[in-house]
Amino acid sequence: MPKVYRLKLTEAQIQELRKAAKSHDKPYVRERSAGILKVSEGNSLRQVAYHQLLRRHAPETLKEWCQRYLEEGLDGLLVKSGRGRKPSFFPSE
């Protein structure tokens, strides 16, 4: 039988995530916050990742969001600077 991922949040964390899910400036943070809240309510990672978010994600991705939130708070849900593909052409100045 597969191991079930359980997420325990404090009341302050739940309130912080609800506020972020409704009114954060960045849409991807709103989606991640909503996903974490659904997992904390007892839904499985697979169910939330595949059916309850705006876009389909891998359950492992949702688990990483949960772990980063527990370690770093809302800052852990932001995309870090320097991510993404680097330019391969640098025009001369």
Side-chain angles (χ1 to χ4, degrees), residues 11-31:
E11 189 60 36
Q13 289 173 322
I14 292 171
Q15 293 303 320
E16 179 183 45
L17 286 168
R18 282 185 182 155
K19 183 178 178 184
K22 288 186 180 185
S23 62
H24 198 276
D25 294 338
K26 302 200 180 287
Y28 67 87
V29 174
R30 292 194 299 261
E31 181 180 31

Side-chain angles (χ1 to χ4, degrees), residues 34-66:
I36 294 169
L37 280 171
K38 290 178 184 198
V39 171
S40 73
E41 292 168 355
N43 295 307
S44 72
L45 288 171
R46 178 181 223 105
Q47 183 181 18
V48 174
Y50 289 160
H51 305 294
Q52 295 182 1
L53 295 176
L54 295 174
R55 292 179 42 212
R56 187 177 177 147
H57 297 279
E60 295 82 20
T61 302
L62 190 58
K63 186 176 181 181
E64 288 174 12
W65 295 347
C66 294

Side-chain angles (χ1 to χ4, degrees), residues 28 78-84 86:
Y28 67 87
L78 295 171
V79 173
K80 307 292 187 252
S81 64
R83 297 290 307 206
K86 307 300 181 265

